[in-house]
Amino acid sequence: MSTKEWIYEQDNPDIGCYQEITFDDDNNNPAVIQSNNPEEFSIAKTESSEQLTVAIPAETFDKIAIAWCRKRKLQGELGGPVGLEIGSPDSPYK
């Protein structure tokens, strides 16, 4: 059984990022970026490939990336401190 866990949602749900959650200890399911009514997108299909392109405002993508890194506890991979610092996923201070 699985369910969606939203990693990032805007107040108006035009764009967000979620991950299907299973009851396994390690969740390596892919991240899904959902965009409702995108302003810019294209779909290209050839005999050998398919491509989907969606424009996401830089500020929104920054927030998605930060939320994903917190969810996956990647702050140490990014050169930041690891522990209960403000902003870390394990910190009681948000």
Side-chain angles (χ1 to χ4, degrees), residues 10 27 45 78 81 85:
Q10 289 182 321
N27 185 4
K45 188 173 187 176
L78 301 171
E85 296 84 8

Side-chain angles (χ1 to χ4, degrees), residues 1-34:
M1 184 171 182
S2 67
T3 186
K4 289 181 185 178
E5 179 182 27
W6 286 93
I7 310 303
Y8 173 79
E9 276 187 290
Q10 289 182 321
D11 292 335
N12 56 347
D14 287 339
I15 191 163
C17 178
Y18 69 87
Q19 186 179 30
E20 290 286 336
I21 299 299
T22 58
F23 296 113
D24 299 333
D25 288 339
D26 293 330
N27 185 4
N28 291 315
N29 293 336
V32 177
I33 295 177
Q34 178 177 309

Side-chain angles (χ1 to χ4, degrees), residues 34-69:
Q34 178 177 309
S35 180
N36 301 326
N37 303 313
E39 291 183 26
E40 295 180 44
F41 72 95
S42 66
I43 299 172
K45 188 173 187 176
T46 66
E47 290 182 23
S48 60
S49 68
E50 298 174 5
Q51 182 181 48
L52 169 66
T53 304
V54 178
I56 299 172
E59 296 82 16
T60 302
F61 195 81
D62 291 346
K63 292 175 183 177
I64 291 170
I66 290 166
W68 180 254
C69 289

